[in-house]
Amino acid sequence: MGIIGGILLIFVLLAIPAFLMPVKIHFYAAGGTDEGFDVTGKVMIYSGLVGCGFRHCRKQYRLHFFIHSWKAIDADITSIIAYFRRNEKKKSVETRKKVKAKKIEEKKPLFERLKTFYQKAYIYRGYFKDGYRAFREIIRFDRFYVNIILGLGKPAATGQIIGIICALNSILPENCRITSRCNFTRQVLQGDVSIAITIISLQFWKNTIRYIPVFWRTYIKHKERTDTLTVQEV
């Protein structure tokens, strides 16, 4: 019991600061037509002294847990992923059968659907600006790099796409770059993408606490009033 208690204490001491420190997320993926679009990718998440990662390579999946630079857990979860995928396929087949058995309901006219969308957007119009500001405070894009090898089989079309990409680089921030190379001899699409994001945990908790009452007053209360009016009309 003493050893287990010590391990739990260490875990708590490492986990609590992790919820308050900035969370760094690194995403990398690479693939292309020459590999049959068998994409290789990994996602790494770090906060304080702890981190975890997910890696996919050649239909193999691995899960990692880190404490500083020490890899505490390195597990093969390919069989677990395959199990969930089989269950998902079974559920999708059952859902399709149920949908076929049900009578297809007629859709509302387009004008009525647009009117409903406009009414909902008008109710929450004042919160879009606050939501965007909170998003900018919480999430910071540190890096967005893309490398592409492109060939469309037609030199003129390939050159036009490469020209658009070069023009796009001129308006992107310094930490965002798209590097492109062209292949005029054959059809090919290869490349890799690297993204780094930082989530400011303190700002996340601050905005969450601030906007919970606002969300409750606007969305929940409005939904309750709408449901009450609907019942009364019926």
Side-chain angles (χ1 to χ4, degrees):
M1 291 296 294
I3 297 176
I4 297 175
I7 294 173
L8 291 175
L9 180 61
I10 293 173
F11 177 78
V12 170
L13 292 176
L14 292 173
I16 290 177
F19 283 105
L20 301 176
M21 298 183 69
V23 179
K24 296 184 178 295
I25 302 175
H26 298 271
F27 171 81
Y28 176 82
T33 53
D34 291 348
E35 290 84 13
F37 276 106
D38 184 15
V39 178
T40 299
K42 64 179 180 179
V43 179
M44 309 298 292
I45 303 174
Y46 299 95
S47 181
L49 297 176
V50 297
C52 63
F54 177 81
R55 186 187 300 270
H56 167 249
C57 181
R58 299 186 182 277
K59 299 182 180 181
Q60 299 291 321
Y61 301 89
R62 302 196 70 84
L63 185 66
H64 311 286
F65 283 94
F66 298 91
I67 299 177
H68 192 45
S69 59
W70 174 54
K71 186 183 292 186
I73 298 175
D74 183 3
D76 186 352
I77 59 172
T78 306
S79 58
I80 299 174
I81 298 293
Y83 171 77
F84 281 107
R85 283 184 173 178
R86 286 194 299 269
N87 287 346
E88 186 178 350
K89 287 182 179 179
K90 290 180 181 178
K91 290 180 180 179
S92 62
V93 171
E94 294 175 358
T95 303
R96 285 197 298 268
K97 289 180 180 179
K98 291 179 180 179
V99 169
K100 289 181 180 178
K102 289 182 179 179
K103 184 179 179 180
I104 300 176
E105 298 181 357
E106 294 183 0
K107 288 185 177 180
K108 294 182 179 179
L110 179 60
F111 176 76
E112 291 186 11
R113 284 182 282 167
L114 290 175
K115 184 179 178 181
T116 303
F117 174 77
Y118 174 76
Q119 289 174 347
K120 291 182 178 179
Y122 183 79
I123 293 170
Y124 305 116
R125 69 191 184 283
Y127 301 102
F128 292 140
K129 185 177 180 180
D130 291 339
Y132 177 72
R133 180 189 57 78
F135 178 82
R136 292 288 302 272
E137 289 180 356
I138 295 170
I139 298 178
R140 184 180 69 226
F141 286 89
D142 301 323
R143 182 179 70 247
F144 181 82
Y145 294 155
V146 179
N147 299 312
I148 300 176
I149 301 175
L150 179 66
L152 301 178
K154 297 180 180 180
T158 302
Q160 289 176 356
I161 298 298
I162 297 299
I164 292 173
I165 293 174
C166 293
L168 186 62
N169 276 325
S170 62
I171 62 175
L172 290 175
E174 294 182 358
N175 57 349
C176 299
R177 279 290 173 268
I178 303 176
T179 305
S180 58
R181 289 184 291 169
C182 50
N183 190 322
F184 296 111
T185 60
R186 64 189 180 96
Q187 292 184 352
V188 61
L189 176 61
Q190 285 184 292
D192 59 85
V193 57
S194 175
I195 302 173
I197 300 173
T198 300
I199 299 176
I200 312 301
S201 300
L202 290 177
Q203 290 293 340
F204 171 79
W205 296 117
K206 174 185 172 183
N207 284 277
T208 300
I209 295 170
R210 179 193 299 174
Y211 288 108
I212 283 178
V214 177
F215 175 78
W216 177 264
R217 288 195 304 267
T218 55
Y219 180 76
I220 303 296
K221 293 295 183 182
H222 173 73
K223 190 174 186 302
E224 289 177 355
R225 288 196 300 268
T226 304
D227 293 341
T228 303
L229 292 174
T230 304
V231 171
Q232 290 176 357
E233 289 177 0
V234 174

